[in-house]
């Protein structure tokens, strides 16, 4: 049976290191609070005007393409996962294509917006394309430049201290080898709590969703029949253009959904917890990872965490962590690798890969 495998993997993180102490200079927070609640010690920020989400994605992609043993012109489909795109439109996939210098137009470029689950959603899409024989080299990139859109005042501290910039990429290719490749991917969503972790302006909502949130917010809309909905001066003046999160609410659901979706994938593949060799969870919070690790009965060396160094890089976090694990020799041919994520939407998912 034709399966898909990760044929090449790479990551890129910007050089600029921002420590917790650096953040204390601009907002009321502390190294102790951040480390204790999240495990984060430092994160990377891209260089303004020189780096963007798509350029960081391209740097990671170049490594993945080389390791996959192909030329960039052999990429036949691009999937780009991000919540911090260069532009509202067009998508980052075409910008990545341009940055990589891929001039061939017989390929497609798809942007997906599934936040922290973006990489797993993208992997599932790539897997389907490869299994059906439609494409041979699907380039999947997860990249984020959060640092350009966060609230660097005390008002935004619960969100801002968590996020970092970076990119990870894989090339998904066919394999006919027995006992290798992506065994299954499981995807879920529940829009009930969409606003619990959201970045809502600019947008076309016009306050419509208050019937779900139960909270009427003044966004400063005028009486004009058209215009001023996406973005207006009131939103800028009242800091309504930043991400917001009800951290504890998200945390409680995350620790429930991570183990659930991992068990679902194991059960479908006819495997058990004890079969997992390496788990690479989305890096949202070290406490969430530790909880999931306990639930699955995994040893410390069976879980790859790097949130301490990079913070939460959303769609990039799994491919960065997986790449580090592979480079460190912690994932070997034949190992059962489990990926899992939960985030805004809410969306969540898992993937099992026989490496
Ligand atoms: N520094 C200092 N104090 C802070 C900070 C900060 N950076 N942020 C919040 N606080 C304060 C709060 O104001 C609050 O003070 P109060 O008690 O006086 O009101 C106190 O710390 C506790 O705040 P909580 O939000 O309850 O803190 P919690 O222990 O829940 O930790 C955190 C917050 C780290 C955000 C946690 O809830 C979490 O990790 N949630 C899950 C995040 C997640 O998984 N996100 C999904 C992925 S992201 C995506 O999809 C885009």
């Amino acid at each position: 049976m034709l399966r898909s495998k990760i044929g090449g993997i790479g990551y890129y993180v910007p050089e600029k290191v921002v420590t917790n102490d650096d953040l204390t200079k601009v907002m009321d927070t502390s190294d102790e609070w951040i480390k204790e609640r999240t495990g984060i010690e430092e994160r990377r920020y891209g260089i303004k005007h020189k780096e963007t989400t798509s350029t960081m994605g391209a740097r990671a992609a170049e490594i993945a393409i080389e390791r996959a043993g192909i030329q960039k012109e052999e990429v036949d489909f691009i999937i780009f996962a991000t919540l911090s795109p260069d532009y509202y439109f067009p998508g980052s996939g075409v910008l990545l294509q341009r940055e990589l210098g891929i001039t061939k137009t017989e390929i497609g470029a798809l942007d997906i917006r599934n936040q922290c689950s973006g990489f797993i959603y993208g992997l599932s899409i790539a897997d389907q394309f490869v299994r059906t024989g439609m494409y041979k080299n699907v380039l999947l990139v997860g990249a984020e430049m959060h640092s350009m859109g966060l609230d660097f005042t005390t008002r935004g501290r619960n969100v801002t201290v968590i996020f970092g910039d970076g990119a990870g990429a894989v090339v998904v290719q066919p394999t006919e080898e027995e006992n290798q490749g992506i065994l299954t991917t499981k995807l879920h969503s529940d829009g009930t709590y969409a606003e619990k972790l959201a970045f809502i302006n600019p947008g076309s909502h016009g306050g419509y969703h208050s019937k779900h949130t139960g909270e009427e917010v003044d966004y400063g809309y005028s009486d004009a029949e058209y215009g001023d909905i996406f973005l207006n001066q009131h939103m800028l003046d009242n800091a309504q253009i930043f991400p917001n999160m009800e951290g504890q609410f998200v945390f409680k659901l995350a620790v429930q959904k991570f183990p659930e979706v991992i068990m679902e994938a194991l059960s479908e593949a006819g495997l058990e917890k004890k079969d997992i060799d390496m788990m690479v969870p989305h890096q949202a919070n070290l406490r969430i990872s530790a909880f999931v690790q306990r639930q699955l009965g995994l040893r410390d060396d069976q879980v790859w965490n790097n949130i301490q160094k990079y913070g939460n890089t959303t769609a990039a976090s799994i491919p960065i962590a997986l790449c580090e694990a592979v480079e460190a020799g912690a994932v070997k041919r034949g190992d059962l690798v489990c990926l899992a994520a939960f985030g805004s939407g809410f969306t969540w998912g898992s993937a099992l890969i026989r490496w």
Side-chain angles (χ1 to χ4, degrees):
M1 187 181 66
L2 189 64
R3 279 218 187 105
S4 74
K5 65 169 184 182
I6 292 182
I9 183 163
Y11 79 96
Y12 171 84
V13 286
E15 268 177 38
K16 186 178 166 61
V17 175
V18 176
T19 64
N20 294 340
D21 281 335
D22 290 333
L23 292 177
T24 65
K25 291 174 192 138
V26 292
M27 63 180 74
D28 182 12
T29 189
S30 66
D31 179 49
E32 193 191 5
W33 191 97
I34 301 171
K35 272 208 293 239
E36 193 186 302
R37 306 279 176 139
T38 70
I40 299 166
E41 292 165 22
E42 58 190 39
R43 73 285 293 140
R44 304 292 180 97
Y45 285 172
I47 302 166
K48 215 171 170 173
H49 308 304
K50 291 210 168 116
E51 292 183 299
T52 74
T53 298
S54 70
T55 69
M56 290 193 294
R59 300 295 83 80
E62 283 160 351
I63 300 167
I65 288 170
E66 196 194 329
R67 289 180 178 168
I70 60 163
Q71 301 295 315
K72 61 190 180 189
E73 294 292 331
E74 292 175 77
V75 167
D76 39 28
F77 196 73
I78 295 170
I79 304 174
F80 202 117
T82 185
L83 65 65
S84 51
D86 296 24
Y87 296 142
Y88 199 90
F89 74 84
S92 303
V94 293
L95 299 179
L96 176 98
Q97 180 185 6
R98 181 172 69 185
E99 181 72 16
L100 289 175
I102 300 179
T103 51
K104 178 172 105 170
T105 57
E106 292 81 13
I107 68 171
L110 172 73
D111 274 52
I112 56 169
R113 305 183 34 152
N114 291 86
Q115 300 73 245
C116 297
S117 319
F119 184 79
I120 290 185
Y121 267 71
L123 194 64
S124 184
I125 295 167
D127 183 37
Q128 312 313 314
F129 275 139
V130 171
R131 270 176 200 262
T132 56
M134 184 154 173
Y135 296 125
K136 284 200 167 57
N137 296 302
V138 178
L139 173 62
L140 165 62
V141 175
E144 305 286 356
M145 189 135 169
H146 290 304
S147 60
M148 298 298 135
L150 297 169
D151 182 356
F152 284 95
T153 70
T154 297
R155 187 182 47 215
R157 66 183 180 177
N158 67 322
V159 173
T160 301
V161 300
I162 295 173
F163 291 105
D165 300 345
V170 295
V171 177
V172 180
Q173 299 176 312
T175 177
E176 284 187 26
E177 288 199 33
E178 251 181 64
N179 217 12
Q180 187 191 29
I182 297 171
L183 305 182
T184 185
T185 54
K186 300 269 104 200
L187 307 178
H188 290 272
S189 68
D190 179 358
T192 314
Y193 305 112
E195 290 78 13
K196 297 283 186 195
L197 173 48
F199 190 158
I200 65 170
N201 294 315
S204 65
H205 62 89
Y208 174 82
H209 300 295
S210 61
K211 66 181 186 184
H212 296 292
T213 59
E215 196 192 0
E216 293 271 359
V217 180
D218 177 11
Y219 291 110
Y221 301 131
S222 75
D223 292 334
E225 195 177 348
Y226 305 115
D228 96 349
I229 286 277
F230 258 65
L231 189 62
N232 59 39
Q233 196 58 46
H234 177 97
M235 291 171 186
L236 296 169
D237 294 343
N238 292 279
Q240 293 170 336
I241 48 145
F242 295 114
N244 64 275
M245 169 166 72
E246 275 186 43
Q248 289 201 12
F249 190 91
V250 181
F251 192 100
K252 282 178 196 151
L253 267 174
V255 293
Q256 180 192 330
K257 297 300 181 192
F258 264 101
E260 236 175 66
V261 77
I262 291 170
M263 292 311 294
E264 186 189 357
L266 286 169
S267 146
E268 189 181 282
L271 295 163
E272 296 175 37
K273 294 191 265 194
K274 65 172 177 44
D275 296 318
I276 296 176
D277 294 298
M278 175 60 72
M279 179 175 74
V280 181
H282 163 55
Q283 304 289 297
N285 186 317
L286 203 54
R287 289 189 295 148
I288 296 177
S289 294
F291 182 90
V292 181
Q293 177 181 341
R294 280 197 301 277
Q295 294 281 306
L296 296 175
L298 299 175
R299 302 184 309 268
D300 287 353
D301 65 330
Q302 292 181 298
V303 182
W304 197 268
N305 285 307
N306 61 13
I307 192 172
Q308 302 91 324
K309 293 187 290 181
Y310 305 132
N312 178 349
T313 57
T314 309
S317 96
I318 290 180
I320 294 175
L322 180 59
C323 188
E324 275 194 350
V326 171
E327 286 178 1
V331 173
K332 295 174 290 302
R333 177 82 170 86
D335 279 356
L336 183 68
V337 179
C338 171
L339 314 178
F342 176 88
S344 162
F346 294 119
T347 62
W348 61 103
S350 61
L352 287 177
I353 305 172
R354 185 65 71 185
W355 202 258

